[in-house]
Amino acid sequence: MLIAPSLLAADFSRLTQEVIRVTKAGADWLHLDIMDGHFVPNISFGPQLVRSIRPLTKIPFDVHLMCSRPEILLEPFAKVGANRVIVHVELEDKVSDLLWKIRALGMKVGLSLNPPTAICHVEPFLHQIDQLLVMTVNPGFGGQPFIHEMVPKIQQAQAWRRERNLGFHIEVDGGINDETAAECARAGADVFVAGTSLFSKRQMGPAIKRMRALTIKAGQATVKPIG
Ligand code: DX5
Ligand code: ZN
């Protein structure tokens, strides 16, 4: 079970200290939300900011591209030290090429789907990816409530992963706190992106430990098929 705090919820006026805080708190990955003001109705930050925080930590950078033209950003993010890059399945015809390009640049390959998108759209790509990011809010803003109707998507992804003996991570993003993380872990998720719920804590270390422990416990409670 991996905990990935989302930098979007950090205090941007103290970014250096925030990156150091996440690192000392024992986060597994740092989730970086890249928004272009077109794919989503908000703008966040780009490769230049990632370049400036890269020397502060060794934590893998999990870059979530909520962008209409991610093809122009793959090389820049590879150059500034991104370790994993996620693109959206809503980009349709572009998806397969994007996944190949991410791999060719030496990064781990992620695919995401928005709440209105049916899980069947990601099925053709499962053998190509290292992680499937199930959005549990409509992307664009932190601090939104978790959409419980997304849980069956996690269960379906888990069923496919097991049946086909695939190794991709199932990651969840949006409205993740101790309770919703446990709910997702029971359904099969193993990477938990959390912005508001972790950055709002004075003591992020114990908060990460608690979320990890709860998800491990909930994951063990997942009903395993016989045989
Ligand atoms: C939403 C982003 C999320 C966001 C999560 O558009 O993809 O990663 O930072 O924030 P919280 O945990 O506050 O819902
Ligand atoms: Zn995200």
Side-chain angles (χ1 to χ4, degrees):
M1 296 299 185
L2 303 174
I3 309 299
S6 166
L7 195 68
L8 197 64
D11 178 349
F12 278 29
S13 70
R14 309 172 62 251
L15 215 44
T16 298
Q17 292 96 316
E18 290 286 66
V19 174
I20 293 167
R21 181 159 81 107
V22 172
T23 308
K24 286 192 174 149
D28 297 291
W29 298 350
L30 183 61
H31 186 80
L32 300 171
D33 287 304
I34 313 303
M35 304 178 180
D36 67 349
H38 186 265
F39 186 80
V40 287
N42 198 3
I43 292 179
S44 58
F45 50 84
Q48 204 170 335
L49 182 135
V50 176
R51 183 203 303 277
S52 62
I53 62 169
R54 183 67 281 186
L56 302 172
T57 182
K58 291 194 164 68
I59 296 186
F61 282 177
D62 186 38
V63 175
H64 179 191
L65 295 180
M66 286 163 275
C67 304
S68 299
R69 297 182 61 215
E71 61 276 16
I72 63 171
L73 292 169
L74 301 182
E75 268 186 56
F77 275 108
K79 279 196 183 129
V80 298
N83 303 93
R84 326 185 65 98
V85 169
I86 304 158
V87 292
H88 270 261
V89 76
E90 290 80 11
L91 299 174
E92 299 181 345
D93 296 350
K94 289 184 180 184
V95 173
S96 196
D97 281 357
L98 288 166
L99 301 181
W100 280 112
K101 183 99 192 276
I102 298 169
R103 177 88 60 213
L105 288 166
M107 300 179 290
K108 296 286 184 189
V109 180
L111 184 63
S112 183
L113 75 166
N114 285 336
T117 304
I119 186 74
C120 59
H121 292 282
V122 302
E123 195 187 354
F125 305 106
L126 296 178
H127 62 285
Q128 258 183 288
I129 62 173
D130 299 298
Q131 64 201 90
L132 177 69
L133 177 68
V134 177
M135 287 307 299
T136 46
V137 298
N138 284 301
F141 301 91
Q144 304 180 72
F146 180 82
I147 304 173
H148 291 270
E149 288 73 18
M150 297 302 111
V151 174
K153 290 186 183 175
I154 304 168
Q155 290 167 330
Q156 179 62 69
Q158 161 76 334
W160 282 329
R161 182 167 65 175
R162 204 187 291 138
E163 285 162 19
R164 298 170 194 188
N165 210 12
L166 294 169
F168 60 88
H169 289 289
I170 301 175
E171 183 175 17
V172 286
D173 184 7
I176 298 296
N177 55 35
D178 286 349
E179 289 71 39
T180 57
E183 185 178 346
C184 293
R186 260 191 301 280
D190 54 84
V191 183
F192 305 87
V193 175
T196 311
S197 76
L198 290 178
F199 276 93
S200 64
K201 300 281 191 320
R202 278 173 70 95
Q203 301 265 6
M204 198 192 284
I208 288 179
K209 275 209 181 85
R210 189 167 52 245
M211 188 179 281
R212 196 182 284 119
L214 286 167
T215 55
I216 290 171
K217 198 163 167 232
Q220 285 160 352
T222 309
V223 184
K224 301 272 183 333
I226 301 163

